[in-house]
Coordinates of all heavy atoms in Angstrom, one line a residue:
M1 N -8.3 20.5 -11.7 CA -8.5 19.3 -11.0 C -8.8 19.5 -9.6 O -7.9 19.9 -8.8 CB -7.2 18.4 -11.2 CG -7.3 17.1 -10.6 SD -5.9 16.0 -11.0 CE -4.5 17.0 -11.0
P2 N -10.0 19.4 -9.1 CA -10.3 19.6 -7.7 C -10.0 18.5 -6.8 O -10.8 18.1 -5.9 CB -11.8 20.0 -7.7 CG -12.3 19.6 -9.1 CD -11.2 19.3 -9.9
Y3 N -8.9 17.8 -7.0 CA -8.4 16.8 -6.0 C -6.9 16.8 -6.1 O -6.3 17.2 -7.1 CB -9.1 15.5 -6.2 CG -8.8 14.8 -7.6 CD1 -7.7 14.1 -7.9 CD2 -9.7 15.0 -8.6 CE1 -7.4 13.5 -9.1 CE2 -9.5 14.4 -9.8 CZ -8.4 13.7 -10.1 OH -8.2 13.1 -11.3
E4 N -6.3 16.3 -5.1 CA -4.8 16.1 -5.1 C -4.5 14.8 -4.4 O -5.1 14.4 -3.5 CB -4.1 17.3 -4.4 CG -4.4 17.4 -2.9 CD -3.7 18.5 -2.3 OE1 -2.7 19.0 -2.8 OE2 -4.3 19.0 -1.2
F5 N -3.5 14.1 -5.0 CA -3.0 12.9 -4.3 C -2.0 13.2 -3.3 O -1.2 14.1 -3.4 CB -2.4 12.0 -5.4 CG -3.4 11.4 -6.3 CD1 -3.5 11.9 -7.6 CD2 -4.3 10.4 -6.0 CE1 -4.5 11.5 -8.5 CE2 -5.2 9.9 -6.8 CZ -5.3 10.5 -8.1
L6 N -2.1 12.5 -2.1 CA -1.2 12.8 -1.0 C -0.2 11.7 -0.9 O -0.5 10.6 -0.4 CB -2.1 12.9 0.3 CG -3.2 13.9 0.2 CD1 -4.1 13.7 1.5 CD2 -2.7 15.3 0.1
E7 N 0.9 11.9 -1.4 CA 2.0 10.9 -1.5 C 2.5 10.5 -0.2 O 2.9 9.3 0.0 CB 3.2 11.4 -2.4 CG 2.8 11.9 -3.8 CD 2.4 10.7 -4.6 OE1 2.8 9.6 -4.4 OE2 1.6 10.9 -5.5
D8 N 2.6 11.4 0.8 CA 3.1 11.1 2.1 C 2.2 10.4 3.1 O 2.5 10.2 4.2 CB 3.8 12.3 2.7 CG 2.7 13.4 2.9 OD1 1.7 13.4 2.2 OD2 3.0 14.3 3.7
V9 N 0.9 10.2 2.7 CA -0.1 9.6 3.6 C -0.4 8.1 3.3 O -0.4 7.3 4.2 CB -1.4 10.4 3.5 CG1 -2.5 9.8 4.3 CG2 -1.2 11.9 3.9
G10 N -0.6 7.8 2.1 CA -0.9 6.4 1.7 C 0.3 5.5 1.7 O 1.2 5.7 0.9
V11 N 0.4 4.5 2.6 CA 1.5 3.6 2.6 C 1.2 2.4 1.8 O 2.0 2.1 0.9 CB 1.8 3.2 4.1 CG1 2.9 2.2 4.2 CG2 2.1 4.4 4.9
A12 N 0.1 1.7 2.0 CA -0.2 0.5 1.3 C -1.2 0.7 0.2 O -1.4 -0.1 -0.6 CB -0.8 -0.5 2.2
G13 N -1.7 1.9 0.1 CA -2.7 2.2 -0.9 C -2.5 3.6 -1.5 O -1.4 4.0 -1.7
I14 N -3.6 4.3 -1.7 CA -3.6 5.6 -2.2 C -4.4 6.6 -1.3 O -5.3 6.1 -0.7 CB -4.2 5.6 -3.6 CG1 -3.9 6.9 -4.4 CG2 -5.7 5.4 -3.6 CD1 -2.5 7.0 -4.9
A15 N -4.0 7.8 -1.2 CA -4.7 8.8 -0.4 C -4.8 10.0 -1.3 O -3.9 10.4 -2.1 CB -3.9 9.1 0.8
F16 N -6.0 10.7 -1.2 CA -6.2 11.9 -1.9 C -7.1 12.8 -1.1 O -7.8 12.4 -0.2 CB -6.8 11.6 -3.3 CG -8.1 11.0 -3.3 CD1 -9.3 11.8 -3.2 CD2 -8.3 9.7 -3.3 CE1 -10.5 11.2 -3.2 CE2 -9.5 9.0 -3.3 CZ -10.6 9.9 -3.3
R17 N -7.1 14.1 -1.5 CA -8.0 15.1 -0.9 C -8.8 15.6 -2.0 O -8.3 16.0 -3.0 CB -7.2 16.2 -0.2 CG -8.1 17.2 0.4 CD -7.3 18.3 1.1 NE -6.3 17.7 2.0 CZ -5.1 18.3 2.2 NH1 -4.8 19.4 1.7 NH2 -4.3 17.7 3.1
A18 N -10.1 15.6 -1.9 CA -11.0 16.2 -2.9 C -11.8 17.3 -2.3 O -12.1 17.4 -1.1 CB -12.0 15.1 -3.4
W19 N -12.2 18.3 -3.2 CA -13.0 19.4 -2.7 C -13.9 19.9 -3.8 O -13.8 19.5 -4.9 CB -12.1 20.6 -2.2 CG -11.2 21.1 -3.3 CD1 -11.4 22.1 -4.2 CD2 -9.9 20.6 -3.6 NE1 -10.3 22.3 -5.0 CE2 -9.4 21.4 -4.6 CE3 -9.1 19.6 -3.0 CZ2 -8.1 21.2 -5.2 CZ3 -7.8 19.4 -3.6 CH2 -7.3 20.2 -4.6
G20 N -14.9 20.6 -3.4 CA -15.9 21.2 -4.3 C -16.7 22.3 -3.7 O -16.5 22.5 -2.5
K21 N -17.6 22.9 -4.4 CA -18.4 24.0 -3.9 C -19.4 23.6 -2.9 O -19.9 24.3 -2.1 CB -19.0 24.8 -5.0 CG -20.0 24.0 -5.8 CD -20.6 24.8 -7.0 CE -21.6 24.0 -7.7 NZ -22.1 24.7 -8.9
N22 N -19.8 22.3 -2.9 CA -20.7 21.7 -1.9 C -20.4 20.2 -1.8 O -19.5 19.7 -2.4 CB -22.2 22.0 -2.4 CG -22.5 21.4 -3.7 OD1 -22.0 20.4 -4.2 ND2 -23.3 22.2 -4.5
L23 N -21.2 19.6 -0.9 CA -20.9 18.1 -0.7 C -21.1 17.3 -1.9 O -20.3 16.4 -2.2 CB -21.9 17.7 0.5 CG -21.6 16.3 1.0 CD1 -20.2 16.1 1.6 CD2 -22.6 16.0 2.1
E24 N -22.1 17.6 -2.7 CA -22.4 16.8 -3.9 C -21.2 16.9 -4.9 O -20.7 15.8 -5.4 CB -23.6 17.3 -4.6 CG -24.0 16.6 -5.9 CD -25.2 17.1 -6.6 OE1 -25.9 17.9 -6.0 OE2 -25.5 16.6 -7.7
T25 N -20.7 18.1 -5.2 CA -19.6 18.2 -6.1 C -18.3 17.6 -5.5 O -17.4 17.0 -6.3 CB -19.3 19.6 -6.6 OG1 -19.1 20.4 -5.4 CG2 -20.5 20.1 -7.4
T26 N -18.2 17.6 -4.2 CA -17.0 17.0 -3.6 C -17.0 15.5 -3.8 O -16.0 14.9 -4.1 CB -17.0 17.3 -2.1 OG1 -16.9 18.8 -1.9 CG2 -15.7 16.7 -1.4
F27 N -18.2 14.9 -3.7 CA -18.3 13.4 -3.9 C -18.0 13.1 -5.4 O -17.4 12.1 -5.7 CB -19.7 12.9 -3.5 CG -19.7 12.5 -2.1 CD1 -20.3 13.3 -1.2 CD2 -19.2 11.3 -1.6 CE1 -20.4 12.9 0.2 CE2 -19.2 10.9 -0.3 CZ -19.8 11.7 0.6
V28 N -18.4 13.9 -6.3 CA -18.2 13.7 -7.7 C -16.7 13.8 -8.0 O -16.1 12.9 -8.7 CB -18.9 14.7 -8.6 CG1 -18.4 14.7 -10.0 CG2 -20.4 14.5 -8.5
E29 N -16.0 14.7 -7.4 CA -14.5 14.9 -7.6 C -13.8 13.7 -7.0 O -12.8 13.2 -7.5 CB -14.1 16.2 -7.0 CG -14.7 17.4 -7.7 CD -14.5 17.5 -9.2 OE1 -13.6 16.8 -9.7 OE2 -15.3 18.1 -9.9
A30 N -14.3 13.2 -5.8 CA -13.7 12.0 -5.2 C -13.8 10.8 -6.1 O -12.9 10.0 -6.2 CB -14.3 11.8 -3.8
G31 N -15.0 10.7 -6.8 CA -15.2 9.6 -7.7 C -14.2 9.7 -8.9 O -13.6 8.7 -9.4
D32 N -14.0 10.9 -9.4 CA -13.0 11.2 -10.5 C -11.6 10.8 -10.0 O -10.9 10.2 -10.8 CB -13.0 12.6 -10.9 CG -14.3 13.0 -11.7 OD1 -15.0 12.0 -12.1 OD2 -14.5 14.2 -12.0
A33 N -11.3 11.1 -8.8 CA -9.9 10.7 -8.3 C -9.8 9.2 -8.3 O -8.7 8.7 -8.7 CB -9.7 11.4 -6.9
L34 N -10.8 8.5 -7.8 CA -10.7 7.1 -7.7 C -10.6 6.5 -9.1 O -9.8 5.5 -9.3 CB -12.0 6.5 -7.0 CG -12.0 6.7 -5.5 CD1 -13.4 6.2 -5.0 CD2 -10.9 5.9 -4.9
M35 N -11.4 7.0 -10.1 CA -11.3 6.5 -11.4 C -9.9 6.7 -12.0 O -9.4 5.8 -12.7 CB -12.3 7.1 -12.3 CG -13.7 6.7 -12.1 SD -14.0 4.9 -12.4 CE -13.9 4.9 -14.1
N36 N -9.3 7.8 -11.7 CA -8.0 8.1 -12.2 C -6.9 7.1 -11.6 O -6.0 6.8 -12.3 CB -7.6 9.6 -11.8 CG -6.4 10.1 -12.5 OD1 -5.7 9.4 -13.3 ND2 -6.1 11.3 -12.3
V37 N -7.2 6.6 -10.5 CA -6.3 5.6 -9.9 C -6.5 4.2 -10.5 O -5.6 3.5 -10.7 CB -6.5 5.6 -8.3 CG1 -5.7 4.4 -7.7 CG2 -6.0 6.9 -7.7
M38 N -7.8 3.9 -10.7 CA -8.1 2.5 -11.1 C -7.9 2.3 -12.6 O -7.7 1.1 -13.0 CB -9.5 2.2 -10.7 CG -9.8 2.2 -9.2 SD -11.4 1.6 -8.8 CE -12.4 2.9 -9.4
V39 N -8.0 3.3 -13.4 CA -8.0 3.1 -14.9 C -6.8 3.9 -15.5 O -6.6 5.1 -15.3 CB -9.3 3.7 -15.5 CG1 -9.2 3.5 -17.0 CG2 -10.5 3.0 -14.9
E40 N -5.9 3.1 -16.1 CA -4.7 3.7 -16.7 C -5.0 4.7 -17.8 O -4.4 5.8 -17.8 CB -3.8 2.6 -17.2 CG -2.4 3.1 -17.7 CD -1.5 2.0 -18.0 OE1 -1.6 0.9 -17.5 OE2 -0.6 2.3 -18.9
E41 N -5.9 4.4 -18.7 CA -6.3 5.3 -19.8 C -7.7 5.7 -19.7 O -8.6 5.0 -20.1 CB -6.0 4.6 -21.2 CG -6.3 5.4 -22.4 CD -5.5 6.7 -22.4 OE1 -4.3 6.7 -22.2 OE2 -6.2 7.8 -22.6
L42 N -8.0 6.9 -19.1 CA -9.3 7.3 -18.9 C -10.1 7.5 -20.1 O -11.4 7.3 -20.1 CB -9.3 8.6 -18.1 CG -8.8 8.5 -16.6 CD1 -8.8 9.9 -16.0 CD2 -9.6 7.6 -15.8
G43 N -9.5 7.8 -21.2 CA -10.2 7.9 -22.5 C -10.8 6.6 -23.1 O -11.6 6.6 -24.0
S44 N -10.3 5.5 -22.5 CA -10.8 4.2 -22.9 C -12.2 3.8 -22.3 O -12.8 2.8 -22.7 CB -9.8 3.1 -22.6 OG -9.7 2.9 -21.2
I45 N -12.7 4.6 -21.4 CA -13.9 4.3 -20.7 C -15.1 4.8 -21.5 O -15.1 5.9 -22.0 CB -14.0 4.9 -19.3 CG1 -12.8 4.4 -18.5 CG2 -15.3 4.7 -18.7 CD1 -12.7 5.1 -17.1
E46 N -16.1 4.0 -21.7 CA -17.3 4.4 -22.4 C -18.5 4.1 -21.4 O -18.5 3.1 -20.7 CB -17.5 3.7 -23.7 CG -17.7 2.2 -23.6 CD -17.9 1.6 -25.0 OE1 -17.0 1.7 -25.8 OE2 -19.0 1.0 -25.2
T47 N -19.5 5.0 -21.4 CA -20.6 4.8 -20.6 C -21.6 3.8 -21.2 O -22.0 4.0 -22.4 CB -21.4 6.2 -20.4 OG1 -20.5 7.1 -19.9 CG2 -22.6 6.0 -19.5
R48 N -21.9 2.8 -20.5 CA -22.9 1.8 -20.9 C -24.2 1.9 -20.2 O -25.2 1.5 -20.6 CB -22.3 0.4 -20.8 CG -21.1 0.2 -21.7 CD -20.7 -1.2 -21.7 NE -19.6 -1.4 -22.6 CZ -19.0 -2.6 -22.9 NH1 -19.5 -3.6 -22.3 NH2 -18.0 -2.6 -23.7
E49 N -24.1 2.3 -18.9 CA -25.2 2.4 -18.1 C -25.0 3.5 -17.1 O -23.9 3.6 -16.5 CB -25.4 1.1 -17.3 CG -26.7 1.0 -16.5 CD -26.8 -0.3 -15.8 OE1 -26.5 -1.4 -16.4 OE2 -27.3 -0.4 -14.7
G50 N -26.0 4.3 -16.8 CA -25.9 5.4 -15.8 C -26.9 5.2 -14.7 O -28.0 4.7 -14.9
R51 N -26.5 5.6 -13.5 CA -27.4 5.5 -12.4 C -27.2 6.8 -11.5 O -26.1 7.2 -11.4 CB -27.1 4.3 -11.5 CG -27.4 3.0 -12.2 CD -27.1 1.8 -11.3 NE -27.2 0.6 -12.1 CZ -27.9 -0.4 -11.7 NH1 -28.5 -0.4 -10.5 NH2 -28.0 -1.5 -12.5
R52 N -28.3 7.3 -11.1 CA -28.3 8.4 -10.2 C -28.5 7.9 -8.8 O -29.4 7.2 -8.5 CB -29.3 9.4 -10.6 CG -29.3 10.7 -9.7 CD -30.1 11.8 -10.3 NE -30.2 12.9 -9.4 CZ -29.3 13.8 -9.2 NH1 -28.1 13.7 -9.9 NH2 -29.5 14.8 -8.4
I53 N -27.6 8.4 -7.9 CA -27.7 8.0 -6.5 C -27.9 9.3 -5.7 O -27.2 10.2 -5.8 CB -26.4 7.3 -6.0 CG1 -26.2 6.0 -6.8 CG2 -26.5 7.0 -4.5 CD1 -24.9 5.4 -6.5
Q54 N -28.9 9.2 -4.8 CA -29.2 10.4 -4.0 C -29.4 9.9 -2.5 O -30.2 8.9 -2.3 CB -30.5 11.0 -4.4 CG -30.8 12.3 -3.7 CD -32.0 13.0 -4.3 OE1 -32.4 12.8 -5.4 NE2 -32.6 13.9 -3.5
L55 N -28.7 10.5 -1.6 CA -28.8 10.2 -0.2 C -29.4 11.4 0.5 O -29.0 12.5 0.3 CB -27.4 9.8 0.4 CG -26.7 8.7 -0.3 CD1 -25.3 8.6 0.3 CD2 -27.5 7.4 -0.2
E56 N -30.2 11.1 1.5 CA -30.8 12.2 2.3 C -30.7 11.8 3.8 O -31.0 10.7 4.1 CB -32.2 12.5 1.9 CG -32.3 13.1 0.5 CD -33.8 13.4 0.1 OE1 -34.6 13.5 1.0 OE2 -34.0 13.5 -1.1
N57 N -30.4 12.7 4.6 CA -30.4 12.5 6.0 C -30.5 13.9 6.7 O -29.5 14.6 6.7 CB -29.2 11.7 6.5 CG -29.2 11.4 7.9 OD1 -29.9 11.9 8.7 ND2 -28.4 10.4 8.3
E58 N -31.6 14.1 7.4 CA -31.7 15.4 8.1 C -30.7 15.6 9.2 O -30.4 16.7 9.6 CB -33.1 15.6 8.6 CG -34.1 15.7 7.5 CD -35.6 15.8 8.0 OE1 -35.7 16.1 9.2 OE2 -36.5 15.7 7.2
A59 N -30.2 14.5 9.8 CA -29.3 14.5 10.9 C -27.9 14.7 10.5 O -27.0 14.8 11.3 CB -29.4 13.3 11.7
L60 N -27.6 14.7 9.2 CA -26.2 14.9 8.7 C -25.7 16.2 9.0 O -26.3 17.3 8.6 CB -26.2 14.6 7.2 CG -24.8 14.7 6.5 CD1 -23.9 13.6 7.1 CD2 -24.9 14.6 5.0
I61 N -24.6 16.3 9.6 CA -23.9 17.5 9.9 C -22.6 17.5 9.2 O -21.7 16.6 9.5 CB -23.7 17.8 11.4 CG1 -25.0 17.8 12.1 CG2 -22.9 19.0 11.7 CD1 -24.9 17.8 13.6
Y62 N -22.3 18.4 8.3 CA -21.1 18.4 7.5 C -20.3 19.7 7.8 O -20.8 20.8 7.8 CB -21.5 18.4 6.0 CG -20.3 18.6 5.1 CD1 -19.3 17.6 4.9 CD2 -20.0 19.9 4.5 CE1 -18.2 17.8 4.1 CE2 -18.9 20.1 3.7 CZ -18.0 19.0 3.5 OH -16.9 19.2 2.8
S63 N -19.1 19.5 8.1 CA -18.1 20.6 8.3 C -16.9 20.2 7.6 O -16.3 19.2 7.8 CB -17.9 20.7 9.8 OG -16.8 21.6 10.0
S64 N -16.4 21.1 6.7 CA -15.2 20.9 5.9 C -14.0 20.7 6.8 O -13.0 20.0 6.6 CB -15.0 22.0 4.9 OG -14.8 23.2 5.5
S65 N -14.0 21.4 8.0 CA -12.9 21.3 8.9 C -12.8 19.9 9.6 O -11.7 19.5 10.0 CB -13.0 22.4 10.0 OG -14.2 22.1 10.8
S66 N -13.9 19.1 9.6 CA -13.9 17.8 10.2 C -13.1 16.8 9.3 O -12.7 15.8 9.7 CB -15.3 17.3 10.5 OG -16.0 17.1 9.2
F67 N -12.9 17.2 8.0 CA -12.1 16.3 7.1 C -10.7 16.8 6.9 O -10.0 16.3 6.1 CB -12.9 16.2 5.8 CG -14.2 15.5 5.9 CD1 -15.4 16.3 5.9 CD2 -14.3 14.2 6.1 CE1 -16.6 15.6 6.1 CE2 -15.5 13.5 6.2 CZ -16.6 14.3 6.2
S68 N -10.3 17.9 7.5 CA -9.0 18.5 7.3 C -7.9 17.6 8.0 O -8.2 17.0 9.0 CB -8.9 19.9 7.9 OG -9.8 20.7 7.2
R69 N -6.8 17.6 7.3 CA -5.6 16.9 7.9 C -5.0 17.7 8.9 O -4.8 18.9 8.8 CB -4.7 16.6 6.8 CG -4.0 15.2 6.9 CD -3.3 14.9 5.7 NE -2.3 15.9 5.4 CZ -1.2 15.7 4.7 NH1 -0.9 14.6 4.2 NH2 -0.3 16.7 4.5
A70 N -4.5 17.2 10.0 CA -3.9 17.9 11.1 C -2.5 18.3 10.7 O -1.9 17.7 9.8 CB -3.8 17.1 12.3

């Protein structure tokens, strides 16, 4: 499971940290973490429609250290 819930951070909601080998897989893992919070029984979900989302921005600068907790 490439994400972990942070019990001591979320006061009124939920907090988690997700990671992956690149930015794309990190977003996929973050989506999995959100689904795990919103749906009690993950096995009850069935795919009815799929959509692929792709974002591009040449000015995007990503650094994993910028998302680290102090």
